[in-house]
Amino acid sequence: TLNDIVKQDYFFNIPIYQRLYVWGKNQVETLLSDIWEACKEEKSVFYLGGTLVIERDNPKQAGRYFDLIDGQQRFTTLWLISLAWKKSLKGYRYQKTVEGLHHRINFAIRPQVKTFFDDIIEGRSTSLPEARQLEDAMAIIENFVSAKVKDNDPLDIPRLTQFIYENVKLVFTQVPENTD
């Protein structure tokens, strides 16, 4: 769960060989709808799918660091949800350190994406061509609330974010460091 990730002080890196974030409206809305339905049904667990990771050393920071090999689109979407809706998902967004904000997810060699997220976290208006898909996904997440109101199925955001934090589970598979 996201709660476990925060408690265990895990951080994730999207390696250079991973594609950029590409989820569009259908994928984001399907994920949100599925999670909302599971929340309304008060399911104790909602399995989101698998993630494949390789642990990496990072002597600069506390915590455990993983390259996210598979599951990046779902994982990043959960992070975007935590940025858009905040509520009980604050710990999943970042960790405050003496050096500043330490994002739970880092996009290797894409400093413009980190800048984009720094701006969002700090509440500054931002728009970068390199982050267009991420920006679009954030708008879809934010508009999902008003769409549910129109559908006469209003979201209970505090309840939903608590459900995401505690009940949405990812299957976490760690492979040895030298795996090809």
Side-chain angles (χ1 to χ4, degrees):
T1 65
L2 301 187
N3 185 34
D4 295 329
I5 288 169
V6 172
K7 280 184 179 176
Q8 294 175 28
D9 214 15
Y10 287 0
F11 295 88
F12 300 89
N13 178 57
I14 310 300
I16 184 174
Y17 53 82
Q18 280 284 3
R19 65 183 173 163
L20 296 172
Y21 184 81
V22 296
W23 268 21
K25 184 175 178 160
N26 288 340
Q27 292 97 339
V28 174
E29 285 183 348
T30 297
L31 176 65
L32 291 170
S33 292
D34 290 349
I35 292 173
W36 176 232
E37 289 303 315
C39 179
K40 288 191 308 187
E41 294 170 15
E42 298 181 358
K43 291 189 175 183
S44 60
V45 175
F46 177 82
Y47 284 101
L48 188 55
T51 56
L52 186 66
V53 298
I54 296 176
E55 189 165 7
R56 299 288 186 214
D57 288 332
N58 190 341
K60 295 178 185 176
Q61 302 278 345
R64 292 178 69 188
Y65 292 79
F66 300 91
D67 277 352
L68 193 52
I69 308 305
D70 189 35
Q72 186 249 130
Q73 303 294 312
R74 289 183 304 269
F75 210 85
T76 302
T77 304
L78 286 175
W79 198 54
L80 293 170
I81 291 168
S82 79
L83 294 171
W85 292 344
K86 299 170 183 69
K87 305 292 178 194
S88 64
L89 299 172
K90 182 178 182 179
Y92 181 60
R93 291 194 308 266
Y94 57 81
Q95 182 182 74
K96 285 188 178 180
T97 67
V98 292
E99 292 86 24
L101 298 181
H102 186 198
H103 298 188
R104 191 69 56 187
I105 298 176
N106 178 50
F107 295 81
I109 75 149
R110 295 186 180 102
Q112 67 279 17
V113 173
K114 182 182 182 320
T115 300
F116 171 79
F117 284 123
D118 283 340
D119 289 346
I120 289 173
I121 289 170
E122 294 294 330
R124 295 186 293 263
S125 179
T126 188
S127 184
L128 292 172
E130 298 89 347
R132 186 74 204 155
Q133 287 291 118
L134 295 161
E135 196 174 329
D136 290 347
M138 286 282 294
I140 293 163
I141 292 164
E142 290 165 352
N143 291 332
F144 190 75
V145 175
S146 57
K148 284 296 182 185
V149 169
K150 287 179 188 172
D151 293 343
N152 212 14
D153 185 19
L155 292 176
D156 180 343
I157 296 294
R159 178 177 160 209
L160 180 57
T161 56
Q162 190 72 29
F163 180 82
I164 291 170
Y165 195 68
E166 295 177 355
N167 301 82
V168 172
K169 292 194 179 224
L170 297 150
V171 177
F172 194 79
T173 304
Q174 185 176 343
V175 296
E177 188 172 338
N178 297 320
T179 302
D180 184 10

